[in-house]
Amino acid sequence: MQLHKGCEEEYRRRHASLWPELASLLRDTGIRDYSIFLDEETLRLFAILQIDDAAKLDDLAEEPVMRRWWEYMKELMDTNADGSPVVRPLKEMLYLP
């Protein structure tokens, strides 16, 4: 994901106050160990999470609280026409269990 220049602190502030109903939705979907990292030079965001059924991630786009969150965050980052963040999947190069 791509953060807009000058939005680092606001992005951090909004995530520090993550809506309880959104946190519940993510947990209920099976998401755990969710972290987002920022490359301060490029302003690229990298998210990593654990989930047993990755197909459930696609269902989040239909959830009203998820769509409200995207609307709330879209001024801070690159987004798609539906308001979702622009994401670019990364190719795994190493996995060490």
Side-chain angles (χ1 to χ4, degrees):
M1 297 173 288
Q2 185 65 50
L3 192 61
H4 295 164
K5 186 175 181 173
C7 293
E8 300 90 334
E9 289 308 313
E10 183 62 16
Y11 185 91
R12 186 182 329 275
R13 186 190 69 74
R14 291 182 189 190
H15 280 81
S17 301
L18 189 69
W19 303 338
E21 63 270 32
L22 180 57
S24 292
L25 171 64
L26 297 176
R27 287 187 189 104
D28 291 347
T29 302
I31 294 172
R32 61 189 185 285
D33 296 326
Y34 187 12
S35 297
I36 301 174
F37 299 90
L38 173 66
D39 178 336
E40 294 180 297
E41 288 184 25
T42 65
L43 298 181
R44 290 220 172 106
L45 297 162
F46 172 78
I48 187 167
L49 58 86
Q50 297 290 319
I51 189 168
D52 292 328
D53 183 359
K56 289 184 176 182
L57 292 173
D58 294 334
D59 298 337
L60 289 174
E62 303 306 316
E63 295 291 337
V65 69
M66 186 84 264
R67 298 190 71 73
R68 284 194 316 273
W69 181 259
W70 290 346
E71 181 68 24
Y72 179 57
M73 297 300 293
K74 76 178 186 179
E75 67 186 349
L76 305 179
M77 58 197 309
D78 291 354
T79 59
N80 295 303
D82 68 354
S84 64
V86 173
V87 296
R88 190 172 323 143
L90 301 176
K91 182 177 182 179
E92 184 175 285
M93 300 299 285
L94 171 71
Y95 173 70
L96 182 64

